[in-house]
Amino acid sequence: VTGLEYSTTYTAYLHAVDEWNRAQTATVTFTTGPMLGQSNARTSGTSIYVDDRPFFPTAVWEQCSDMFNSNINDGINLFMGDGCKDDTTLPTWLGGRAYSIVDSENANATGRGVIGWYFPDEWDAFLTSNVKRSDLEKDIPSARPGRISFLTLTNHFYSKAEPLPQGKGMYPVLFQIPDVLGFDLYPLQVWCRPAFGDVYDAQSELRTASG
């Protein structure tokens, strides 16, 4: 059985039927082993792999430690920063129950479950349209084995969103920096209309535009 979470209790059922249509069912409950002391993350095509296993992150942004337990119980397996403490303490607070990524300023952070770093949130909103990668070099950590990088954009790259006041020229530069791209689009909170289809359409546009 593959693709299971670390330190998690599962119940497995085996149902067998023989050639005479006689059925037998067996049940076994087991707990998987703990997360490795150090994890290695990489991307391949459109997939993320952690310790050579396919990994689909369900993430929360800058959560405080008092919510970690309930988030993990809800299925969260990746914490992007700590909203109340130094990001480098995430491995200690999470105790191998989930993965974490830290601010790019802490790209050298180590600890159980750290798989990479994130760039400034909605970085596009703070850059000029004619920015060049060379202008950002001091804010881009060098590649590190076993670590991947994440960047969350605003939704202003999207064709149905108004462009930023400074334009859209920063996007081709930003698209090439991280390993994983995401964006913020809140249909009800910000757009104030039930435009949930735009979340999918914007994702499709981002995938096409970023390659």
Side-chain angles (χ1 to χ4, degrees), residues 185 187-188 191 193-199:
L185 195 160
L188 297 182
W191 282 31
R193 57 184 185 269
F196 294 102
D198 287 293
V199 177

Side-chain angles (χ1 to χ4, degrees), residues 62-68 81-87 89-90 93:
E62 289 201 336
Q63 183 61 278
C64 292
S65 58
D66 61 338
M67 293 295 294
F68 286 175
D82 188 320
C84 299
K85 299 181 182 295
D86 186 336
D87 285 356
T89 65
L90 273 169
W93 285 105

Side-chain angles (χ1 to χ4, degrees), residues 41-191:
R42 61 183 175 86
T43 57
S44 178
T46 58
S47 299
I48 298 173
Y49 290 84
V50 176
D51 297 325
D52 292 323
R53 304 188 313 160
F55 176 64
F56 186 86
T58 52
V60 292
W61 167 256
E62 289 201 336
Q63 183 61 278
C64 292
S65 58
D66 61 338
M67 293 295 294
F68 286 175
N69 286 335
S70 62
N71 285 167
I72 292 169
N73 289 337
D74 287 338
I76 298 300
N77 60 13
L78 179 65
F79 289 83
M80 300 179 68
D82 188 320
C84 299
K85 299 181 182 295
D86 186 336
D87 285 356
T88 59
T89 65
L90 273 169
T92 300
W93 285 105
L94 293 173
R97 295 171 297 159
Y99 295 100
S100 59
I101 59 174
V102 298
D103 190 290
S104 57
E105 294 180 355
N106 298 316
N108 287 322
T110 58
R112 178 182 287 183
V114 177
I115 62 171
W117 64 85
Y118 60 88
F119 291 102
D121 190 37
E122 299 190 345
W123 205 3
D124 49 328
F126 303 96
L127 301 176
T128 61
S129 187
N130 62 352
V131 69
K132 298 179 177 61
R133 184 183 176 112
S134 58
D135 300 326
L136 306 175
E137 286 299 333
K138 63 181 178 60
D139 298 312
I140 304 175
S142 57
R144 288 161 171 75
R147 297 288 185 266
I148 56 178
S149 58
F150 296 73
L151 171 61
T152 302
L153 304 169
T154 69
N155 62 47
H156 295 286
F157 67 88
Y158 180 40
S159 62
K160 293 184 181 179
E162 291 294 325
L164 290 165
Q166 64 268 40
K168 295 187 175 185
M170 74 290 292
Y171 289 117
V173 175
L174 292 178
F175 289 165
Q176 302 306 314
I177 293 175
D179 296 299
V180 183
L181 273 171
F183 62 94
D184 291 330
L185 195 160
Y186 308 101
L188 297 182
Q189 182 182 356
V190 178
W191 282 31

Side-chain angles (χ1 to χ4, degrees), residues 14-44:
L14 177 63
H15 184 72
V17 180
D18 67 13
E19 58 184 309
W20 295 285
N21 206 35
R22 294 177 301 186
Q24 192 80 302
T25 299
T27 303
V28 60
T29 298
F30 61 93
T31 301
T32 54
M35 182 183 292
L36 302 178
Q38 179 173 319
S39 294
N40 288 286
R42 61 183 175 86
T43 57
S44 178

